[in-house]
Amino acid sequence: MDEFSLIRHYFSRLTPAAADVALGIGDDCALLNVAPGHQLAVTTDTLVGGRHFPLQTKAGDVGWKSLAVNLSDLAAMGAQARWVTLALTLPDADQEWLQAFSSGFHALLQASQVALVGGDTTRGPLSITVTAMGVVPVGKAVRRSGARVGDLVCVTGTLGDAALALRLLDAPDLPPSLRERLDRPQPRLAAGLALREFAHAAIDLSDGLAGDLPHVLEASGVGAVVEAQLLPQSYEFARHASTGERLQLQAQGGDDYELCVCLPPDCLELAQSRLEVPLTVIGRIVDAPGLRFVDANGANIPLESHGYRHFQ
Amino acid sequence: MDEFSLIRHYFSRLTPAAADVALGIGDDCALLNVAPGHQLAVTTDTLVGGRHFPLQTKAGDVGWKSLAVNLSDLAAMGAQARWVTLALTLPDADQEWLQAFSSGFHALLQASQVALVGGDTTRGPLSITVTAMGVVPVGKAVRRSGARVGDLVCVTGTLGDAALALRLLDAPDLPPSLRERLDRPQPRLAAGLALREFAHAAIDLSDGLAGDLPHVLEASGVGAVVEAQLLPQSYEFARHASTGERLQLQAQGGDDYELCVCLPPDCLELAQSRLEVPLTVIGRIVDAPGLRFVDANGANIPLESHGYRHFQ
């Protein structure tokens, strides 16, 4: 049973149909009616050492990334990131590690204009849980469920860099820019705020396009066709990834932390002009359910499996 | 270095003086200006298996308690508990354990009228992090910093039951009512809401009175004298605790999850009449700094050390 089934099975019944819960478990964030006109967007993610990051990862990068993956969920909803709490479990009170961790965490707090407002520190195997909170005007949050047939499927930035970095982790010639994409992903907060004016649906890419986009398709009751050669590549990715592994790294590698959004075609240009990151069209929403990857001739490209899951 | 110093040293600088953070790290909850007139109270706590609860604890009790300790922080601030997120790390996807855990968690959700709105499930050593959110009108939250000389120091319920249960854990004649106090503490949410009308300061008792009350005294710049024989005892506690261990269990045992509040004397009767749990006067706020325990004649009773801390 994978983690999604686990959560759904045991915990979905715990989300009541309460008037103050506009959206419960099952999207990038919950949406809570905190005051008239204002919704609170909340998300939580745990990083376990050796599972979500290699144990040799620098403490500063662990600090940055544990915050980044949560802010990325707020970005996907179009929420303004405001506050986070940090629950830190450590095997020992290693001063040097703590200093570096907090520096990395702090660097992204500052870059994102977000405040750390609460925490808990306990002894145990290395694990970091961050809960991130943002605000969004009522009706403005971008959910997974709004994609419509004819929408363009677009992604911010480039895909596959982090997955390639992970594969080349011990290679002496791993380009720093790829390593940076693995260790210090940039949550697309500004893009999320801009895109909420246009997007019908959005999700952040943590498990890989092939693992995450289907959540949008299922929630929206639609399908998608994605053209493999349209997936945006960085210069270093194009230089270091072999032709045979490109699609697998870009669609199934995970750790991209880019946004995947469904846009009405007539909004594309305006949306692109409002973003500081590239926004690339990679496919289209269609009626037939499921996600198909196709080549330039429209022929299906089969994928091995869909995405990264913790309990398999 | 203990957990409090850890958090202060590495993370307090990460809490900026932002206009939307009314209260950052260092109280039972953070207070966030989420919308005009409304503050969001947020707290997070991690429970690690074998550290915060015995590994043989029933899964249902672990579920209950992981929620209870967080709701207790909201109660101490006088916030109306509304939403929680759950980050669950499990060594394996044990269906029976998950079923029982979620039942215990759910039972307290229902009893407290709180909604689970988000979560994350990962594989790793058993650890549970809950983040609890509540709302409180601006100006109504009860902080640690408001105690004044002359205030009565009061506690809800009885003290020492959980600590005695932990000491007698393997005893065949451990009374169920004591065991219940250890495994299923009752967060004093209704008492917290009622007491916010009267209390100058409050804290919830997780580490024991001798560990927690000093946080109020330091934040308020005052001291307190507590009369040991006034500490409220349950019938089973009085029957099973030896005279020599009573004060230690009641003041230093921890896991009470009762509220300790500082009240102006003229509010006592009205406050008591509004609560469904007993509210007992145990001492008084004084000018001289520090916490003194005294006997009926006013003579000092020395305590060995102060409270339970994770990193010692």
Side-chain angles (χ1 to χ4, degrees), chain A residues 3 6-7 10 13-15 20 30 45-46 51-52 82 87 95 98 106 116-117 120-123 125 131, chain B residues 3 6-7 10 13-15 20 30 45-46 51 82 87 95 98 106 116-117 120-123 125 131:
Chain A
E3 72 164 321
L6 270 177
I7 290 170
Y10 289 106
R13 72 181 169 98
L14 307 191
T15 295
D20 62 5
D45 264 310
T46 297
R51 171 155 292 270
H52 298 93
R82 298 275 286 273
Q95 302 284 314
L98 267 167
H106 191 223
L116 175 69
V117 299
D120 190 22
T121 311
T122 53
R123 189 194 291 274
T131 300
Chain B
E3 71 164 322
L6 270 177
I7 290 171
Y10 289 105
R13 72 183 168 98
L14 307 191
T15 295
D20 62 5
D45 265 310
T46 298
R51 170 156 292 268
R82 298 275 285 274
Q95 302 285 314
L98 266 167
H106 192 223
L116 176 69
V117 299
D120 189 23
T121 311
T122 53
R123 189 193 291 273
T131 300

Side-chain angles (χ1 to χ4, degrees), chain A residues 9-25:
Chain A
H9 186 216
Y10 289 106
F11 298 109
S12 60
R13 72 181 169 98
L14 307 191
T15 295
D20 62 5
V21 180
L23 187 64
I25 289 176

